Amino acid sequence: MDAMKIGVVGCAGRMGRMIARCVQETEGAELAGGTEAPGSPMLGRDLGELAGLGALDLAIGDDPVLLFAHSAAVIDFTAPAVSVAHAELAAQAQSVHVIGTTGLDPEQQEAVSRAARHTAVVLAPNMSLGVTLLTALVEQVARTLDADYDIEVVEMHHRRKVDAPSGTALALGLAAAAGRAVDLDDVARRVRDGHTGARPRGEIGFATLRGGDVVGDHTVVFAAEGERLELTHKASTREVFARGAVKAALWARGKPPGLYSMKDVLGLT
Ligand code: NAD
């Protein structure tokens, strides 16, 4: 089979550069090109040089229509509104769309689902293998332990992160809620401040820490009288997300249209 041509939108971003390098270093994958935001000072620069690969003769452009037309898959770690606009282009071009962008609101998620009727879309707030397994484990533990065990999701990220709680923390909360057969919206406590009163039984709490250069730490605590179970994942390099995204693109090749997750990619569904 020919190498899969993979484009990277937001290719000059922190994740974009890493993804571009990872695509080129992965057997069976080949960089198709990259885009940046209109007006970006990165436009016209060579994508290979930017990604530390040496010149590849791929100038960074600002026309995603062209990139989607030339790519079998496009990897997208940008911003919610941008990823939604790209999802429509992926549907038109019928290219695989791997979306790592976090912070999509329900309306934006719905727009991505609509686009996924026409092409294979992998949407995952965390593309790492470890977090995908953690999510599956959290659901299993929440199913096993009853509400005597208080569930708290604690996350820490670098100081530049703009959304909170992290998309991964919310996904872990959803997994815990699914295990308990409850709706997360009915039981979530995303912030605590001031005189909160005692913790209601069955609540799923979130705590957000921000600072330094932390790539991404997540812990789910199951705390009962007399014992506490903690499941933790720590990412020490963003490469794990880039590798997961490229794996997702290769996996989705030839798959029927639909909205897929990293659980699908790893065969956990
Ligand atoms: P970043 O700000 O460094 O990169 C985003 C890039 O997108 C920027 O270079 C920006 O110029 C570009 N961009 C904005 N509008 C654009 C447009 N219209 N067309 C093309 N490019 C455009 O941010 P980052 O740290 O790389 O993170 C990006 C997103 O990925 C965030 O939502 C973050 O939370 C998410 N993320 C997800 C995972 C995961 O595993 N799913 C891991 C890390 C980060």
Side-chain angles (χ1 to χ4, degrees):
M1 221 194 308
D2 288 347
M4 188 182 200
K5 282 188 163 281
I6 300 180
V8 183
V9 287
C11 62
R14 282 182 293 268
M15 284 307 302
R17 291 171 198 229
M18 203 164 267
I19 291 162
R21 191 161 63 246
C22 188
V23 167
Q24 204 64 2
E25 288 170 354
T26 301
E27 215 186 308
E30 187 190 326
L31 260 182
T35 63
E36 255 302 323
S40 162
M42 297 297 171
L43 296 180
R45 285 189 55 182
D46 187 85
L47 177 55
E49 280 178 358
L50 190 76
L53 294 161
L56 288 176
D57 203 18
L58 290 173
I60 297 172
D62 64 357
D63 183 358
V65 177
L66 205 62
L67 184 68
F68 275 89
H70 287 123
S71 306
V74 171
I75 302 180
D76 183 339
F77 284 57
T78 56
V82 177
S83 293
V84 168
H86 286 153
E88 282 158 26
L89 300 181
Q92 282 161 24
Q94 310 244 299
S95 25
V96 167
H97 192 195
V98 176
I99 307 175
T101 307
T102 61
L104 276 70
D105 65 28
E107 216 170 288
Q108 289 167 326
Q109 288 185 28
E110 181 49 37
V112 170
S113 302
R114 277 198 304 274
R117 290 188 204 134
H118 306 281
T119 193
V121 178
V122 182
L123 173 69
N126 192 309
M127 299 259 170
S128 94
L129 173 64
V131 163
T132 307
L133 280 169
L134 172 65
T135 310
L137 285 171
V138 164
E139 183 171 343
Q140 193 184 342
V141 173
R143 188 175 300 120
T144 309
L145 300 174
D146 65 16
D148 285 348
Y149 288 77
D150 300 324
I151 301 177
E152 294 283 307
V153 183
V154 186
E155 60 107 334
M156 179 159 188
H157 281 86
H158 53 87
R159 61 167 76 101
R160 295 173 307 276
K161 185 159 178 66
V162 294
D163 51 319
S166 71
T168 303
L170 292 170
L172 289 167
L174 277 172
R180 285 227 167 128
V182 295
D183 189 336
L184 181 62
D185 288 339
D186 295 339
V187 296
R189 175 73 73 105
R190 292 170 64 133
V191 182
R192 292 191 185 96
D193 186 28
H195 185 83
T196 60
R199 187 187 200 284
R201 185 179 164 84
E203 186 168 272
I204 295 178
F206 292 85
T208 300
L209 284 69
R210 290 286 175 266
D213 61 354
V214 177
V215 172
D217 293 355
H218 293 89
T219 295
V220 181
V221 182
F222 296 83
E225 299 284 336
E227 69 172 355
R228 191 160 81 236
L229 172 64
E230 298 183 355
L231 300 176
T232 295
H233 177 271
K234 294 186 180 184
S236 51
T237 161
R238 297 176 145 243
E239 270 173 44
V240 292
F241 310 126
R243 283 201 293 271
V246 176
K247 190 181 172 84
L250 293 172
W251 173 87
R253 189 179 205 177
K255 289 279 183 298
L259 186 59
Y260 300 99
S261 70
M262 279 309 279
K263 271 189 172 178
D264 297 307
V265 175
L266 297 181
L268 292 170
T269 43

